[in-house]
Amino acid sequence: MSKRPGGTKKRLKRGLWSPEEDEKLMNHIAKYGNGCWSSVPKIAGLERCGKSCRLRWINYLRPDLKRGAFSQEEEDLIIHLHSILGNKWSQIAAQLPGRTDNEVKNFWNSFIKKKLRQRGIDPATHKPLAPAGAAAAATPVSRSAVFSEAELILSSPVGGPHMPPLVSAESYVYSRGSMDGAGGVVGGCSDDGSLSSLSGYNNNNNQTADFAGYLDADALHGAVIPSVSSSSTLNSMAGVSPGGAANGNATDELCCNNNNNPSNSGSGFESSTTQSSSNHHLPWLELGSISSCTEDGNAAGAAADHYGAALDELKWSDYVFDGGYPQYHQQGQCIYGDSKAAADAATAQFDAHGLGINWCLN
DNA sequence: AACTATTCCAACCGCAACAAA
DNA sequence: ATTTGTTGCGGTTGGAATAGT
């Protein structure tokens, strides 16, 4: 999938990653950990730029990725968070364990947007695609000032395990006082200081406070949810509460962190189905060892387990198994489809197991 | 069956932010 | 203070898969 001819002096491969490249990258990270992306291609023997390697890892190869269809709860949460944060995909993804910002973004653009429009809601503003008059009344800065019940689109049962009870738009928005659109609302986080168990929607607090927590930029940044969004991935991988780096950037952990202990990396996301036939299955995801490594009892792991349990109904049969190991199947890239590639897949699985073991031991 | 249109998503690009030199 | 290198983020795009005719 060469997007552009590109005129770089150094010939770098572009487009879809081959299983061999994936394997190289996985093996490299297994050996050295992630970080120092600029040096990864050289060491790993990849003809890719470091940036591309990083992206591939974050968006596709990471073991704690939860592939497959978004659940109703996730969808609702995305809509909620988008109404508050706008296109801050990394921050939204940070609240969705196992999801990447890219994935959330794509999901939004391909599905939610359309859905909202069908319901007469402007996906950009979360306001009704009003017949002339109404929309004009709202001031541009108070993006949620007009926020109808319908906009919440909480189609899941009210008060579901991961979602707040259906609250009226008014109580949800107005009760927080002025919302200046700059995230200026000073709100507490949930009472344990985290957005635990996927719960910015904390169960035992009143709703307003919870959403105030969401609105607090710091709280959002410091969420303890394991995530694969670009911004928080490495924190979760390293078993470090992102809160520890809340006011920092991930660079320190990113760079040459060979001591990452991803043992608690998003455990519980062992199953998934896919949306519209885009089954992505990675060998890692079968690695019970990874999830079983979650022993430090942090909230993230618990949250992940809890959330993963919600997906229990999703069956492995959704994947294509051939000869004992799964194949990649996805819309845009059908990897390991033929026998040769299947052999590669087997290798990849083996390597992944090795990787998982290594990580658990780290 | 063949062709066209649409959908979906992996990957790329450019820019911003940050740290180190 | 400036330059350089690296990472993070959001927007965009190309093309395979799928749906429709």
Side-chain angles (χ1 to χ4, degrees):
Chain A
M1 198 206 303
S2 280
K3 298 176 68 66
R4 290 183 184 85
T8 49
K9 302 144 196 165
K10 208 174 181 181
R11 189 179 60 86
L12 292 175
K13 194 178 171 199
R14 296 182 174 192
L16 295 179
W17 281 64
S18 68
E20 290 77 15
E21 288 178 302
D22 282 345
E23 188 187 334
K24 281 182 181 177
L25 183 55
M26 288 191 291
N27 287 338
H28 172 85
I29 292 174
K31 208 168 175 180
Y32 301 104
N34 55 37
C36 287
W37 290 108
S38 60
S39 65
V40 166
K42 197 183 294 179
I43 300 171
L46 290 162
E47 291 175 349
R48 299 270 183 177
C49 66
K51 199 172 181 177
S52 181
C53 293
R54 173 183 164 270
L55 205 65
R56 182 64 176 174
W57 173 251
I58 288 173
N59 285 337
Y60 200 84
L61 295 175
R62 290 181 53 78
D64 56 342
L65 279 177
K66 175 172 62 179
R67 316 296 310 192
F70 281 76
S71 68
Q72 187 60 57
E73 286 80 10
E74 287 176 306
E75 182 186 328
D76 293 338
L77 182 54
I78 290 169
I79 294 170
H80 274 294
L81 292 173
H82 188 273
S83 73
I84 295 167
L85 297 166
N87 294 357
K88 300 292 181 189
W89 304 118
S90 63
Q91 289 181 40
I92 293 171
Q95 313 308 316
L96 293 157
R99 301 295 187 183
T100 69
D101 48 3
N102 207 33
E103 203 175 4
V104 171
K105 180 172 59 182
N106 282 334
F107 182 57
W108 177 270
N109 286 328
S110 64
F111 182 74
I112 297 182
K113 235 176 176 177
K114 190 167 52 183
K115 194 170 177 179
L116 289 178
R117 284 209 188 95
Q118 282 171 356
R119 299 185 186 201
I121 296 161
D122 182 351
T125 62
H126 290 258
K127 295 171 188 172
L129 285 170
T139 56
V141 287
S142 55
R143 56 187 305 183
S144 300
V146 177
F147 198 89
S148 70
E149 196 90 46
E151 288 175 82
L152 296 174
I153 316 289
L154 290 177
S155 48
S156 61
V158 171
H162 307 299
M163 290 299 300
L166 179 59
V167 294
S168 72
E170 287 71 21
S171 65
Y172 170 0
V173 174
Y174 289 129
S175 64
R176 283 194 298 281
S178 72
M179 182 166 172
D180 59 10
V185 176
V186 177
C189 207
S190 55
D191 56 5
D192 62 354
S194 72
L195 299 173
S196 60
S197 65
L198 202 123
S199 70
Y201 305 107
N202 209 336
N203 306 331
N204 51 4
N205 285 336
N206 78 48
Q207 205 54 50
T208 302
D210 289 341
F211 279 105
Y214 267 125
L215 288 169
D216 183 285
D218 291 335
L220 284 165
H221 256 321
V224 184
I225 305 295
S227 162
V228 285
S229 73
S230 317
S231 58
S232 58
T233 293
L234 295 163
N235 290 330
S236 69
M237 283 294 294
V240 174
S241 165
N247 60 352
N249 55 56
T251 306
D252 289 342
E253 293 171 24
L254 245 177
C255 194
C256 298
N257 183 354
N258 292 336
N259 296 321
N260 281 351
N261 178 4
S263 61
N264 63 339
S265 57
S267 59
F269 304 122
E270 69 283 352
S271 65
S272 65
T273 55
T274 62
Q275 173 194 0
S276 63
S277 82
S278 58
N279 283 352
H280 304 268
H281 181 75
L282 287 165
W284 328 71
L285 299 182
E286 287 194 321
L287 301 181
S289 61
I290 291 180
S291 61
S292 69
C293 288
T294 305
E295 292 179 333
D296 54 9
N298 68 22
D305 287 340
H306 183 58
Y307 206 73
L311 298 169
D312 277 348
E313 60 185 43
L314 306 176
K315 299 292 191 287
W316 282 108
S317 58
D318 290 330
Y319 299 108
V320 177
F321 284 85
D322 183 13
Y325 48 80
Q327 301 177 17
Y328 282 20
H329 267 255
Q330 69 181 83
Q331 186 179 38
Q333 182 180 18
C334 184
I335 309 173
Y336 308 159
D338 57 31
S339 56
K340 157 74 170 65
D344 292 333
T347 306
Q349 186 185 30
F350 175 80
D351 290 335
H353 274 283
L355 181 55
I357 291 166
N358 283 343
W359 281 356
C360 288
L361 292 175
N362 278 344

